[in-house]
Amino acid sequence: MARAKLSTRARWLWSATAAIAVLAVGAVLFQPWLLLIDVRVADAIPTAIATAPPTNQASRQTSAATPPGSVESVEMPAPAPGPVDLLAGEFVSHEHETNGGARIIQLPDGRRHLAIEGLVTSNGPDVHVWLSAGPVVEGLDGWFTAAGYDHIDLGPIKGNLGDQLYDIPAEVDLAAFRTVDLWCERFSVSFGAAALS
């Protein structure tokens, strides 16, 4: 009888220890407390004075059509005296309800920034801001789309609410990376994405 009681007690202790270990691992992975914590960001977003003029494709095509050895005068737009909007789009929700806008702003010195404005989404573990070569797909299919395409990681998201600014490396080809994706690296899922045009 004493052996049976000891065996039952040992099984109960083992079960309780296993349950605690599973809960601890789950808590570390999922970090459920983040859903209760909002992080508001208020970066100063440059105000664009204009939308960027069309690209120099017409002048490039004209130059390419010019016979070798001839000289052609190509009129190029003067640099803008302030920040210019190059691309913009609105977020669609994926795995988490996500609202807000995204703009790519070019400064007079040529530097470019991604501005995320009025962001409202959930907080989560290991969420990064990506410029993706993939399309924005609405609905459940869009949750995983970005994983199959090239991307540029601009770093961890600064917060789940408000306005935030991210530097875009000079070598990034914006013609190839036209999607902003809030990507949870831990679970390989998109919180939300914006198509830029």
Side-chain angles (χ1 to χ4, degrees):
M1 191 73 163
R3 184 176 291 173
K5 281 184 182 176
L6 184 60
S7 173
T8 303
R9 185 174 293 161
R11 274 185 288 195
W12 184 87
L13 266 168
W14 184 89
S15 296
T17 303
I20 289 169
V22 166
L23 286 172
V25 168
V28 167
L29 281 177
F30 290 96
Q31 298 177 334
W33 57 85
L34 290 178
L35 294 173
L36 306 173
I37 300 170
D38 286 328
V39 178
R40 183 173 294 281
V41 180
D43 285 348
I45 307 289
T47 303
I49 58 163
T51 303
T55 60
N56 310 3
Q57 287 179 347
S59 60
R60 273 191 236 133
Q61 289 167 355
T62 307
S63 298
T66 304
S70 65
V71 177
E72 180 184 310
S73 160
V74 177
E75 204 172 310
M76 300 294 284
V84 218
D85 280 345
L86 299 179
L87 300 165
E90 294 294 318
F91 280 97
V92 299
S93 298
H94 282 153
E95 207 270 334
H96 290 259
E97 183 72 28
T98 300
N99 295 295
R103 290 189 294 136
I104 293 187
I105 302 165
Q106 182 168 309
L107 301 180
D109 63 9
R111 288 180 298 137
R112 299 169 301 172
H113 297 294
L114 169 66
I116 297 177
E117 299 175 292
L119 180 66
V120 178
T121 192
S122 302
N123 208 341
D126 207 17
V127 178
H128 283 237
V129 177
W130 283 8
L131 286 179
S132 170
V136 173
V137 177
E138 295 195 42
L140 184 60
D141 291 340
W143 292 18
F144 310 102
T145 303
Y149 292 88
D150 289 340
H151 69 275
I152 306 294
D153 189 336
L154 300 182
I157 195 168
K158 295 178 181 180
N160 64 308
L161 301 174
D163 301 334
Q164 39 205 284
L165 206 56
Y166 298 87
D167 295 333
I168 299 174
E171 67 276 7
V172 173
D173 179 4
L174 294 177
F177 296 95
R178 298 294 283 264
T179 296
V180 178
D181 216 299
L182 305 180
W183 186 257
C184 179
E185 295 196 345
R186 181 162 301 166
F187 297 106
S188 296
V189 68
S190 170
F191 276 35
L196 302 174
S197 58

